[in-house]
Amino acid sequence: MGVVIESSVWEPNPSLFIFIFFACLLSILLLSYATKSASPSPFHLGVSPSFLRFKRNFLLIYSLVSAIEGFWLVFGEFEWSYYGMNREQMMLILSVGFGGSLIIGTTLGVLSDILGQKKMALIFCTLHLFVGAWKRLTAHPSLWLASVFLSVASSIFSFSFETWMVLEHEKQGHRQELLNDTFWLMTFFESASLIGSQSLANLSVLSVGKTGLASSFGATIWLAVVSIICISWLSKEPSLVVEVANRKMPYASILHDKRIWLLAYTQASVHFSVTVFWILWAPTLVADGREVHLGLIYPCLLGARMLGSSIFPWVIGGSSLRTEDCLLYAFIVSGLAVFIISYDYQEIGTLVSLFCVFHACIGIILPSLARLRTMYVPNDLRGGMISLSAAPANAAILLFLWQGGYYRNVGNSAVMALAAAGLFSSAACMHFLKRLGKQPYSNWHKS
């Protein structure tokens, strides 16, 4: 008598999606009752119409560019599989891309403070437009060169739009505390756009069998064109601009500030841990031949990040916690989650729960770090500071891709454990940063 072994594909419980949706909805709707009057909710009617118009237009553009960025994150691996590439070839393409981010992306970050962030935003859209059109028109595009262009675009995305928003916010004379709402809304809308880009990528995959791979890049071309039009329109929009003092200063003038170094290290640790997670999360789940529906887990992770970002204004505006304290706790919790994940084997349900905890913490960490950058980093040097902070992380990722992914000298669990160590050390940085602050919220704007 033969034995029949039934196999099933693991999927998250549908109630998880419902819980995340209603938790985010309630968190936003009830926000005005939890925050203090000094920090109005994002839908507060007391703020000026010009600020609401500015924020609405910027968030629209940011959602569009986030969708473009997310499309390639989801569609890239399918494209490599479509061309029959093996593990070593994929690792080499990733390595080339991170090498481009390390060299070109870091350089553009420093130059962006001189050339202007709007030009960098247009370069971001142009790179995506070029890659999409190139792959649309060419039967066998160079995946190596495309990886460099897309990696450089990702580097621009990480620093340009946040810096552009902060500079425009300052030029238009809006209150600094209103930036807190914009920061968490950026994380919220980015995560929502990434979920939307997954649906867009799935539709593109379905069209591959009918019209071929080249036709699936039309969506990114149109999104890039619309983004260029919107950015150009926003830059020409008339606004009441106040006189801003010229704060141009060399980087050497802030190198003696220990707070900048602590923030830079923390930013590098977050960039490293998030990038490592997105590289290793799927191999971790499907280890030992387990079958998992990754397409349903991906929106759960981004939904958890949305929930974490919606919690940020509750913590900052509705409690007496300093931003450094909030980050300290978030780094400890996220570090514990990644440390447990670094073990070779866990139940799928446990892993997905830990993944969601990690991303919920990231949803709190990202706007919190943006707030600290506003407090301690001169706006004229913000783009360069973010790109320079990511350079060590990109170098470390490049090393582990080469040693672990290609030569297989380093295990995935060791890389995850290093990411956890970086998060724990970032918690220590927040403790020291709090001790360095002699005033409740002393920042360079008041100097």
Side-chain angles (χ1 to χ4, degrees), residues 106-120 123 159-160 163 167 171 246-251 378-385 387:
T106 304
T107 304
L108 288 178
V110 177
L111 291 177
S112 68
D113 293 324
I114 302 174
L115 301 177
Q117 301 302 331
K118 292 178 184 177
K119 293 181 181 179
M120 289 295 111
I123 291 175
F159 63 80
S160 179
T163 307
L167 289 173
K171 288 179 181 178
N246 185 15
R247 297 193 184 96
K248 291 291 183 181
M249 59 186 72
Y251 283 93
N379 287 341
D380 293 329
L381 304 180
R382 192 186 188 105
M385 182 268 181
S387 63

PDB file of all heavy atoms in Angstrom, residues 106-120 123 159-160 163 167 171 246-251 378-385 387:
ATOM      1  N   THR A 106      26.643  57.637  -3.764  1.00  0.00           N
ATOM      2  CA  THR A 106      27.210  58.480  -2.708  1.00  0.00           C
ATOM      3  C   THR A 106      27.671  59.817  -3.261  1.00  0.00           C
ATOM      4  O   THR A 106      27.465  60.874  -2.642  1.00  0.00           O
ATOM      5  CB  THR A 106      28.384  57.753  -2.038  1.00  0.00           C
ATOM      6  OG1 THR A 106      27.935  56.480  -1.546  1.00  0.00           O
ATOM      7  CG2 THR A 106      28.927  58.569  -0.884  1.00  0.00           C
ATOM      8  N   THR A 107      28.281  59.800  -4.437  1.00  0.00           N
ATOM      9  CA  THR A 107      28.733  61.045  -5.062  1.00  0.00           C
ATOM     10  C   THR A 107      27.565  61.958  -5.396  1.00  0.00           C
ATOM     11  O   THR A 107      27.613  63.176  -5.158  1.00  0.00           O
ATOM     12  CB  THR A 107      29.532  60.736  -6.337  1.00  0.00           C
ATOM     13  OG1 THR A 107      30.623  59.852  -6.017  1.00  0.00           O
ATOM     14  CG2 THR A 107      30.081  62.007  -6.957  1.00  0.00           C
ATOM     15  N   LEU A 108      26.496  61.380  -5.933  1.00  0.00           N
ATOM     16  CA  LEU A 108      25.327  62.189  -6.266  1.00  0.00           C
ATOM     17  C   LEU A 108      24.677  62.768  -5.014  1.00  0.00           C
ATOM     18  O   LEU A 108      24.119  63.878  -5.052  1.00  0.00           O
ATOM     19  CB  LEU A 108      24.309  61.344  -7.034  1.00  0.00           C
ATOM     20  CG  LEU A 108      24.669  60.990  -8.476  1.00  0.00           C
ATOM     21  CD1 LEU A 108      23.593  60.105  -9.089  1.00  0.00           C
ATOM     22  CD2 LEU A 108      24.844  62.248  -9.319  1.00  0.00           C
ATOM     23  N   GLY A 109      24.742  62.031  -3.907  1.00  0.00           N
ATOM     24  CA  GLY A 109      24.183  62.548  -2.666  1.00  0.00           C
ATOM     25  C   GLY A 109      24.877  63.817  -2.211  1.00  0.00           C
ATOM     26  O   GLY A 109      24.234  64.771  -1.764  1.00  0.00           O
ATOM     27  N   VAL A 110      26.203  63.824  -2.311  1.00  0.00           N
ATOM     28  CA  VAL A 110      26.962  65.022  -1.937  1.00  0.00           C
ATOM     29  C   VAL A 110      26.705  66.155  -2.930  1.00  0.00           C
ATOM     30  O   VAL A 110      26.517  67.317  -2.541  1.00  0.00           O
ATOM     31  CB  VAL A 110      28.463  64.694  -1.851  1.00  0.00           C
ATOM     32  CG1 VAL A 110      29.270  65.943  -1.536  1.00  0.00           C
ATOM     33  CG2 VAL A 110      28.712  63.612  -0.802  1.00  0.00           C
ATOM     34  N   LEU A 111      26.655  65.817  -4.222  1.00  0.00           N
ATOM     35  CA  LEU A 111      26.430  66.847  -5.239  1.00  0.00           C
ATOM     36  C   LEU A 111      25.013  67.401  -5.184  1.00  0.00           C
ATOM     37  O   LEU A 111      24.771  68.536  -5.622  1.00  0.00           O
ATOM     38  CB  LEU A 111      26.702  66.273  -6.632  1.00  0.00           C
ATOM     39  CG  LEU A 111      28.157  65.933  -6.957  1.00  0.00           C
ATOM     40  CD1 LEU A 111      28.254  65.310  -8.346  1.00  0.00           C
ATOM     41  CD2 LEU A 111      29.039  67.176  -6.873  1.00  0.00           C
ATOM     42  N   SER A 112      24.075  66.613  -4.653  1.00  0.00           N
ATOM     43  CA  SER A 112      22.684  67.070  -4.624  1.00  0.00           C
ATOM     44  C   SER A 112      22.515  68.317  -3.768  1.00  0.00           C
ATOM     45  O   SER A 112      21.635  69.147  -4.036  1.00  0.00           O
ATOM     46  CB  SER A 112      21.781  65.953  -4.092  1.00  0.00           C
ATOM     47  OG  SER A 112      22.038  65.696  -2.715  1.00  0.00           O
ATOM     48  N   ASP A 113      23.338  68.454  -2.731  1.00  0.00           N
ATOM     49  CA  ASP A 113      23.254  69.649  -1.895  1.00  0.00           C
ATOM     50  C   ASP A 113      23.749  70.891  -2.620  1.00  0.00           C
ATOM     51  O   ASP A 113      23.485  72.012  -2.186  1.00  0.00           O
ATOM     52  CB  ASP A 113      24.083  69.447  -0.615  1.00  0.00           C
ATOM     53  CG  ASP A 113      23.494  68.383   0.285  1.00  0.00           C
ATOM     54  OD1 ASP A 113      22.259  68.289   0.341  1.00  0.00           O
ATOM     55  OD2 ASP A 113      24.267  67.631   0.914  1.00  0.00           O
ATOM     56  N   ILE A 114      24.455  70.690  -3.728  1.00  0.00           N
ATOM     57  CA  ILE A 114      24.954  71.811  -4.529  1.00  0.00           C
ATOM     58  C   ILE A 114      24.054  72.059  -5.744  1.00  0.00           C
ATOM     59  O   ILE A 114      23.682  73.195  -6.037  1.00  0.00           O
ATOM     60  CB  ILE A 114      26.401  71.551  -4.993  1.00  0.00           C
ATOM     61  CG1 ILE A 114      27.314  71.314  -3.784  1.00  0.00           C
ATOM     62  CG2 ILE A 114      26.921  72.700  -5.857  1.00  0.00           C
ATOM     63  CD1 ILE A 114      28.720  70.908  -4.164  1.00  0.00           C
ATOM     64  N   LEU A 115      23.682  70.963  -6.436  1.00  0.00           N
ATOM     65  CA  LEU A 115      22.895  71.089  -7.659  1.00  0.00           C
ATOM     66  C   LEU A 115      21.420  71.324  -7.397  1.00  0.00           C
ATOM     67  O   LEU A 115      20.725  71.914  -8.229  1.00  0.00           O
ATOM     68  CB  LEU A 115      23.068  69.821  -8.512  1.00  0.00           C
ATOM     69  CG  LEU A 115      24.492  69.485  -8.940  1.00  0.00           C
ATOM     70  CD1 LEU A 115      24.517  68.178  -9.715  1.00  0.00           C
ATOM     71  CD2 LEU A 115      25.082  70.607  -9.779  1.00  0.00           C
ATOM     72  N   GLY A 116      20.913  70.849  -6.253  1.00  0.00           N
ATOM     73  CA  GLY A 116      19.491  70.997  -5.954  1.00  0.00           C
ATOM     74  C   GLY A 116      18.779  69.655  -5.984  1.00  0.00           C
ATOM     75  O   GLY A 116      19.088  68.779  -6.816  1.00  0.00           O
ATOM     76  N   GLN A 117      17.818  69.475  -5.092  1.00  0.00           N
ATOM     77  CA  GLN A 117      17.129  68.192  -4.963  1.00  0.00           C
ATOM     78  C   GLN A 117      16.090  67.973  -6.056  1.00  0.00           C
ATOM     79  O   GLN A 117      15.788  66.823  -6.402  1.00  0.00           O
ATOM     80  CB  GLN A 117      16.466  68.106  -3.583  1.00  0.00           C
ATOM     81  CG  GLN A 117      17.437  68.236  -2.419  1.00  0.00           C
ATOM     82  CD  GLN A 117      18.526  67.181  -2.446  1.00  0.00           C
ATOM     83  OE1 GLN A 117      18.333  66.078  -2.953  1.00  0.00           O
ATOM     84  NE2 GLN A 117      19.691  67.522  -1.893  1.00  0.00           N
ATOM     85  N   LYS A 118      15.536  69.044  -6.611  1.00  0.00           N
ATOM     86  CA  LYS A 118      14.573  68.871  -7.702  1.00  0.00           C
ATOM     87  C   LYS A 118      15.231  68.247  -8.925  1.00  0.00           C
ATOM     88  O   LYS A 118      14.643  67.407  -9.608  1.00  0.00           O
ATOM     89  CB  LYS A 118      13.950  70.219  -8.062  1.00  0.00           C
ATOM     90  CG  LYS A 118      13.053  70.795  -6.981  1.00  0.00           C
ATOM     91  CD  LYS A 118      12.513  72.154  -7.390  1.00  0.00           C
ATOM     92  CE  LYS A 118      11.692  72.768  -6.254  1.00  0.00           C
ATOM     93  NZ  LYS A 118      11.219  74.139  -6.596  1.00  0.00           N
ATOM     94  N   LYS A 119      16.461  68.652  -9.192  1.00  0.00           N
ATOM     95  CA  LYS A 119      17.195  68.056 -10.313  1.00  0.00           C
ATOM     96  C   LYS A 119      17.466  66.577 -10.044  1.00  0.00           C
ATOM     97  O   LYS A 119      17.380  65.744 -10.957  1.00  0.00           O
ATOM     98  CB  LYS A 119      18.507  68.805 -10.532  1.00  0.00           C
ATOM     99  CG  LYS A 119      18.318  70.240 -11.010  1.00  0.00           C
ATOM    100  CD  LYS A 119      19.653  70.917 -11.224  1.00  0.00           C
ATOM    101  CE  LYS A 119      19.462  72.364 -11.687  1.00  0.00           C
ATOM    102  NZ  LYS A 119      20.757  73.056 -11.872  1.00  0.00           N
ATOM    103  N   MET A 120      17.778  66.242  -8.791  1.00  0.00           N
ATOM    104  CA  MET A 120      18.008  64.841  -8.446  1.00  0.00           C
ATOM    105  C   MET A 120      16.720  64.029  -8.607  1.00  0.00           C
ATOM    106  O   MET A 120      16.750  62.883  -9.077  1.00  0.00           O
ATOM    107  CB  MET A 120      18.502  64.738  -7.007  1.00  0.00           C
ATOM    108  CG  MET A 120      19.916  65.230  -6.773  1.00  0.00           C
ATOM    109  SD  MET A 120      21.171  64.233  -7.624  1.00  0.00           S
ATOM    110  CE  MET A 120      21.719  65.438  -8.850  1.00  0.00           C
ATOM    111  N   ILE A 123      16.301  63.379 -12.185  1.00  0.00           N
ATOM    112  CA  ILE A 123      17.252  62.347 -12.614  1.00  0.00           C
ATOM    113  C   ILE A 123      16.740  60.962 -12.224  1.00  0.00           C
ATOM    114  O   ILE A 123      16.852  59.994 -12.995  1.00  0.00           O
ATOM    115  CB  ILE A 123      18.639  62.617 -12.002  1.00  0.00           C
ATOM    116  CG1 ILE A 123      19.260  63.862 -12.620  1.00  0.00           C
ATOM    117  CG2 ILE A 123      19.567  61.420 -12.199  1.00  0.00           C
ATOM    118  CD1 ILE A 123      20.579  64.270 -11.992  1.00  0.00           C
ATOM    119  N   PHE A 159      17.539  59.741  -0.470  1.00  0.00           N
ATOM    120  CA  PHE A 159      17.910  61.032   0.132  1.00  0.00           C
ATOM    121  C   PHE A 159      17.238  62.232  -0.528  1.00  0.00           C
ATOM    122  O   PHE A 159      17.021  63.252   0.121  1.00  0.00           O
ATOM    123  CB  PHE A 159      19.430  61.239   0.093  1.00  0.00           C
ATOM    124  CG  PHE A 159      20.033  61.318  -1.285  1.00  0.00           C
ATOM    125  CD1 PHE A 159      19.980  62.490  -2.029  1.00  0.00           C
ATOM    126  CD2 PHE A 159      20.682  60.220  -1.846  1.00  0.00           C
ATOM    127  CE1 PHE A 159      20.537  62.566  -3.292  1.00  0.00           C
ATOM    128  CE2 PHE A 159      21.243  60.282  -3.111  1.00  0.00           C
ATOM    129  CZ  PHE A 159      21.164  61.464  -3.831  1.00  0.00           C
ATOM    130  N   SER A 160      16.899  62.153  -1.797  1.00  0.00           N
ATOM    131  CA  SER A 160      16.519  63.354  -2.540  1.00  0.00           C
ATOM    132  C   SER A 160      15.148  63.883  -2.145  1.00  0.00           C
ATOM    133  O   SER A 160      14.980  65.076  -1.890  1.00  0.00           O
ATOM    134  CB  SER A 160      16.551  63.059  -4.045  1.00  0.00           C
ATOM    135  OG  SER A 160      16.154  64.198  -4.774  1.00  0.00           O
ATOM    136  N   THR A 163      14.902  65.350   1.455  1.00  0.00           N
ATOM    137  CA  THR A 163      15.609  66.625   1.541  1.00  0.00           C
ATOM    138  C   THR A 163      14.880  67.712   0.782  1.00  0.00           C
ATOM    139  O   THR A 163      14.794  68.863   1.241  1.00  0.00           O
ATOM    140  CB  THR A 163      17.035  66.457   0.985  1.00  0.00           C
ATOM    141  OG1 THR A 163      17.680  65.351   1.637  1.00  0.00           O
ATOM    142  CG2 THR A 163      17.857  67.714   1.216  1.00  0.00           C
ATOM    143  N   LEU A 167      13.511  71.211   2.514  1.00  0.00           N
ATOM    144  CA  LEU A 167      13.949  72.522   2.025  1.00  0.00           C
ATOM    145  C   LEU A 167      12.776  73.376   1.559  1.00  0.00           C
ATOM    146  O   LEU A 167      12.707  74.575   1.838  1.00  0.00           O
ATOM    147  CB  LEU A 167      14.952  72.331   0.887  1.00  0.00           C
ATOM    148  CG  LEU A 167      16.329  71.791   1.286  1.00  0.00           C
ATOM    149  CD1 LEU A 167      17.156  71.478   0.049  1.00  0.00           C
ATOM    150  CD2 LEU A 167      17.061  72.769   2.180  1.00  0.00           C
ATOM    151  N   LYS A 171      11.545  76.957   3.023  1.00  0.00           N
ATOM    152  CA  LYS A 171      11.447  78.133   2.169  1.00  0.00           C
ATOM    153  C   LYS A 171      10.064  78.775   2.235  1.00  0.00           C
ATOM    154  O   LYS A 171       9.934  79.992   2.139  1.00  0.00           O
ATOM    155  CB  LYS A 171      11.763  77.755   0.721  1.00  0.00           C
ATOM    156  CG  LYS A 171      13.232  77.453   0.470  1.00  0.00           C
ATOM    157  CD  LYS A 171      13.463  77.074  -0.975  1.00  0.00           C
ATOM    158  CE  LYS A 171      14.927  76.751  -1.237  1.00  0.00           C
ATOM    159  NZ  LYS A 171      15.142  76.345  -2.646  1.00  0.00           N
ATOM    160  N   ASN A 246      21.357  82.175   4.421  1.00  0.00           N
ATOM    161  CA  ASN A 246      22.257  81.292   3.687  1.00  0.00           C
ATOM    162  C   ASN A 246      23.082  80.486   4.667  1.00  0.00           C
ATOM    163  O   ASN A 246      23.970  80.992   5.328  1.00  0.00           O
ATOM    164  CB  ASN A 246      23.160  82.116   2.766  1.00  0.00           C
ATOM    165  CG  ASN A 246      24.034  81.235   1.900  1.00  0.00           C
ATOM    166  OD1 ASN A 246      23.775  80.042   1.778  1.00  0.00           O
ATOM    167  ND2 ASN A 246      25.043  81.818   1.299  1.00  0.00           N
ATOM    168  N   ARG A 247      22.772  79.185   4.732  1.00  0.00           N
ATOM    169  CA  ARG A 247      23.452  78.327   5.699  1.00  0.00           C
ATOM    170  C   ARG A 247      24.458  77.392   5.036  1.00  0.00           C
ATOM    171  O   ARG A 247      24.810  76.369   5.595  1.00  0.00           O
ATOM    172  CB  ARG A 247      22.433  77.495   6.477  1.00  0.00           C
ATOM    173  CG  ARG A 247      21.465  78.320   7.318  1.00  0.00           C
ATOM    174  CD  ARG A 247      20.733  77.399   8.277  1.00  0.00           C
ATOM    175  NE  ARG A 247      19.740  78.112   9.033  1.00  0.00           N
ATOM    176  CZ  ARG A 247      18.454  78.176   8.715  1.00  0.00           C
ATOM    177  NH1 ARG A 247      18.037  77.560   7.628  1.00  0.00           N
ATOM    178  NH2 ARG A 247      17.599  78.831   9.459  1.00  0.00           N
ATOM    179  N   LYS A 248      24.851  77.716   3.813  1.00  0.00           N
ATOM    180  CA  LYS A 248      25.819  76.860   3.140  1.00  0.00           C
ATOM    181  C   LYS A 248      27.089  76.774   3.968  1.00  0.00           C
ATOM    182  O   LYS A 248      27.662  77.776   4.365  1.00  0.00           O
ATOM    183  CB  LYS A 248      26.139  77.418   1.751  1.00  0.00           C
ATOM    184  CG  LYS A 248      24.988  77.317   0.757  1.00  0.00           C
ATOM    185  CD  LYS A 248      24.714  75.886   0.364  1.00  0.00           C
ATOM    186  CE  LYS A 248      23.602  75.810  -0.684  1.00  0.00           C
ATOM    187  NZ  LYS A 248      23.299  74.433  -1.059  1.00  0.00           N
ATOM    188  N   MET A 249      27.500  75.554   4.227  1.00  0.00           N
ATOM    189  CA  MET A 249      28.694  75.369   5.045  1.00  0.00           C
ATOM    190  C   MET A 249      29.394  74.094   4.610  1.00  0.00           C
ATOM    191  O   MET A 249      28.757  73.161   4.136  1.00  0.00           O
ATOM    192  CB  MET A 249      28.313  75.281   6.533  1.00  0.00           C
ATOM    193  CG  MET A 249      27.363  74.152   6.872  1.00  0.00           C
ATOM    194  SD  MET A 249      26.822  74.186   8.593  1.00  0.00           S
ATOM    195  CE  MET A 249      25.720  75.598   8.561  1.00  0.00           C
ATOM    196  N   PRO A 250      30.693  74.008   4.736  1.00  0.00           N
ATOM    197  CA  PRO A 250      31.404  72.794   4.349  1.00  0.00           C
ATOM    198  C   PRO A 250      31.128  71.662   5.331  1.00  0.00           C
ATOM    199  O   PRO A 250      30.768  71.887   6.481  1.00  0.00           O
ATOM    200  CB  PRO A 250      32.879  73.229   4.388  1.00  0.00           C
ATOM    201  CG  PRO A 250      32.906  74.366   5.365  1.00  0.00           C
ATOM    202  CD  PRO A 250      31.595  75.074   5.199  1.00  0.00           C
ATOM    203  N   TYR A 251      31.303  70.425   4.836  1.00  0.00           N
ATOM    204  CA  TYR A 251      31.071  69.266   5.695  1.00  0.00           C
ATOM    205  C   TYR A 251      32.034  69.229   6.869  1.00  0.00           C
ATOM    206  O   TYR A 251      31.710  68.695   7.927  1.00  0.00           O
ATOM    207  CB  TYR A 251      31.202  67.972   4.872  1.00  0.00           C
ATOM    208  CG  TYR A 251      30.003  67.690   4.013  1.00  0.00           C
ATOM    209  CD1 TYR A 251      29.960  68.123   2.689  1.00  0.00           C
ATOM    210  CD2 TYR A 251      28.911  66.995   4.502  1.00  0.00           C
ATOM    211  CE1 TYR A 251      28.860  67.875   1.888  1.00  0.00           C
ATOM    212  CE2 TYR A 251      27.810  66.739   3.712  1.00  0.00           C
ATOM    213  CZ  TYR A 251      27.788  67.176   2.402  1.00  0.00           C
ATOM    214  OH  TYR A 251      26.692  66.936   1.614  1.00  0.00           O
ATOM    215  N   PRO A 378      22.166  70.238   9.390  1.00  0.00           N
ATOM    216  CA  PRO A 378      21.782  71.388   8.564  1.00  0.00           C
ATOM    217  C   PRO A 378      21.081  70.933   7.286  1.00  0.00           C
ATOM    218  O   PRO A 378      21.521  69.980   6.635  1.00  0.00           O
ATOM    219  CB  PRO A 378      23.118  72.064   8.262  1.00  0.00           C
ATOM    220  CG  PRO A 378      24.038  71.617   9.349  1.00  0.00           C
ATOM    221  CD  PRO A 378      23.605  70.236   9.708  1.00  0.00           C
ATOM    222  N   ASN A 379      20.009  71.593   6.931  1.00  0.00           N
ATOM    223  CA  ASN A 379      19.240  71.182   5.762  1.00  0.00           C
ATOM    224  C   ASN A 379      20.070  71.222   4.483  1.00  0.00           C
ATOM    225  O   ASN A 379      19.864  70.418   3.570  1.00  0.00           O
ATOM    226  CB  ASN A 379      18.012  72.094   5.607  1.00  0.00           C
ATOM    227  CG  ASN A 379      16.961  71.799   6.659  1.00  0.00           C
ATOM    228  OD1 ASN A 379      16.956  70.741   7.273  1.00  0.00           O
ATOM    229  ND2 ASN A 379      16.073  72.754   6.872  1.00  0.00           N
ATOM    230  N   ASP A 380      21.018  72.170   4.408  1.00  0.00           N
ATOM    231  CA  ASP A 380      21.842  72.285   3.211  1.00  0.00           C
ATOM    232  C   ASP A 380      22.813  71.112   3.040  1.00  0.00           C
ATOM    233  O   ASP A 380      23.394  70.954   1.967  1.00  0.00           O
ATOM    234  CB  ASP A 380      22.643  73.593   3.242  1.00  0.00           C
ATOM    235  CG  ASP A 380      21.735  74.809   3.141  1.00  0.00           C
ATOM    236  OD1 ASP A 380      20.683  74.682   2.486  1.00  0.00           O
ATOM    237  OD2 ASP A 380      22.054  75.855   3.714  1.00  0.00           O
ATOM    238  N   LEU A 381      22.991  70.320   4.074  1.00  0.00           N
ATOM    239  CA  LEU A 381      23.883  69.173   4.005  1.00  0.00           C
ATOM    240  C   LEU A 381      23.143  67.856   4.220  1.00  0.00           C
ATOM    241  O   LEU A 381      23.763  66.810   4.378  1.00  0.00           O
ATOM    242  CB  LEU A 381      24.987  69.299   5.071  1.00  0.00           C
ATOM    243  CG  LEU A 381      25.833  70.578   5.028  1.00  0.00           C
ATOM    244  CD1 LEU A 381      26.873  70.550   6.141  1.00  0.00           C
ATOM    245  CD2 LEU A 381      26.507  70.731   3.669  1.00  0.00           C
ATOM    246  N   ARG A 382      21.828  67.912   4.211  1.00  0.00           N
ATOM    247  CA  ARG A 382      21.027  66.741   4.559  1.00  0.00           C
ATOM    248  C   ARG A 382      21.186  65.600   3.548  1.00  0.00           C
ATOM    249  O   ARG A 382      21.378  64.442   3.922  1.00  0.00           O
ATOM    250  CB  ARG A 382      19.554  67.155   4.670  1.00  0.00           C
ATOM    251  CG  ARG A 382      18.654  66.109   5.298  1.00  0.00           C
ATOM    252  CD  ARG A 382      17.195  66.548   5.226  1.00  0.00           C
ATOM    253  NE  ARG A 382      16.328  65.678   5.982  1.00  0.00           N
ATOM    254  CZ  ARG A 382      15.785  65.983   7.158  1.00  0.00           C
ATOM    255  NH1 ARG A 382      16.053  67.151   7.713  1.00  0.00           N
ATOM    256  NH2 ARG A 382      14.977  65.139   7.771  1.00  0.00           N
ATOM    257  N   GLY A 383      21.107  65.921   2.257  1.00  0.00           N
ATOM    258  CA  GLY A 383      21.229  64.881   1.235  1.00  0.00           C
ATOM    259  C   GLY A 383      22.570  64.174   1.276  1.00  0.00           C
ATOM    260  O   GLY A 383      22.640  62.942   1.190  1.00  0.00           O
ATOM    261  N   GLY A 384      23.641  64.953   1.408  1.00  0.00           N
ATOM    262  CA  GLY A 384      24.967  64.344   1.478  1.00  0.00           C
ATOM    263  C   GLY A 384      25.142  63.506   2.720  1.00  0.00           C
ATOM    264  O   GLY A 384      25.784  62.447   2.681  1.00  0.00           O
ATOM    265  N   MET A 385      24.576  63.951   3.854  1.00  0.00           N
ATOM    266  CA  MET A 385      24.697  63.191   5.097  1.00  0.00           C
ATOM    267  C   MET A 385      24.003  61.841   4.975  1.00  0.00           C
ATOM    268  O   MET A 385      24.520  60.802   5.409  1.00  0.00           O
ATOM    269  CB  MET A 385      24.104  63.997   6.252  1.00  0.00           C
ATOM    270  CG  MET A 385      24.209  63.333   7.618  1.00  0.00           C
ATOM    271  SD  MET A 385      22.729  62.339   7.992  1.00  0.00           S
ATOM    272  CE  MET A 385      23.142  61.740   9.621  1.00  0.00           C
ATOM    273  N   SER A 387      23.371  60.104   2.159  1.00  0.00           N
ATOM    274  CA  SER A 387      24.083  59.239   1.215  1.00  0.00           C
ATOM    275  C   SER A 387      25.413  58.753   1.787  1.00  0.00           C
ATOM    276  O   SER A 387      25.794  57.594   1.593  1.00  0.00           O
ATOM    277  CB  SER A 387      24.316  59.983  -0.099  1.00  0.00           C
ATOM    278  OG  SER A 387      25.138  61.115   0.096  1.00  0.00           O
TER     279      SER A 387
END
